[in-house]
Structure formats: structure tokens, C-alpha cells
């Protein structure tokens, strides 16, 4: 299984249907408010909170990639 991050608008019946299908196949769906993604700091804080990044998350792009990679490995078994 490959890891993906997909941003979609919330609210349409089609989006909700596809997300339910994804979850039914074992996928994970996380919701992040777009207003929280207006600044670089907001992106880091939102992802850290929603995805439960470890406390040592460095709040920079390299650390973001590392944490997403670790999360993907944990979900897929490596």
C-alpha cells in the first residue's frame, strides 16, 4: 500500500462517498480545516495535532516529511 495525502473540498456527497469507500478499504481519513493552512506554522501545527506527531517534531519541512514517512511506515507495516 502506498501512502497518499489528498486535499479535497468537504461537503459534497461525492466526496463523502469516496472517503467512506477509502475507509472501508482500510484507509485513514483525517480532517484539517483549510483556514489552519494559511501559514507555514499553521500547516505544521495542524498536521502535528491531527496526525499526532511526536513531541520532538521540529516544525520544518524536513521534519514534516520524516513524520509523514514514519506514519506511513507504521500504517503499512514498514
Amino acid at each position: 500500500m502506498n501512502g497518499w495525502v489528498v486535499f479535497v473540498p468537504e461537503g459534497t456527497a461525492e466526496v463523502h462517498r469516496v472517503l467512506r469507500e477509502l475507509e472501508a478499504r482500510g484507509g485513514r481519513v483525517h480532517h484539517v480545516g483549510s483556514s489552519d493552512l494559511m501559514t507555514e506554522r499553521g500547516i505544521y501545527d495542524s498536521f502535528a495535532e491531527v496526525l499526532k506527531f511526536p513531541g520532538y517534531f521540529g516544525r520544518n519541512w524536513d521534519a514534516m516529511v520524516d513524520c509523514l514517512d514514519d506514519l506511513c511506515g507504521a500504517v503499512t507495516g514498514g
Side-chain angles (χ1 to χ4, degrees):
M1 172 183 245
N2 292 321
W4 290 88
V5 175
V6 180
F7 293 93
V8 296
E10 190 175 43
T12 67
E14 178 67 9
V15 167
H16 288 282
R17 182 187 66 74
V18 170
L19 293 177
R20 280 193 307 275
E21 288 177 7
L22 174 65
E23 289 178 309
R25 293 192 315 259
R28 292 186 181 183
V29 175
H30 301 279
H31 299 272
V32 178
S34 60
S35 63
D36 297 332
L37 305 178
M38 300 301 289
T39 66
E40 190 171 329
R41 181 65 182 208
I43 292 168
Y44 301 143
D45 290 347
S46 295
F47 273 66
E49 180 182 337
V50 170
L51 298 176
K52 308 289 188 250
F53 285 175
Y56 57 82
F57 169 54
R59 287 178 167 69
N60 61 63
W61 290 115
D62 289 335
M64 175 82 98
V65 169
D66 288 345
C67 284
L68 289 173
D69 187 52
D70 290 347
L71 179 63
C72 182
V75 170
T76 64

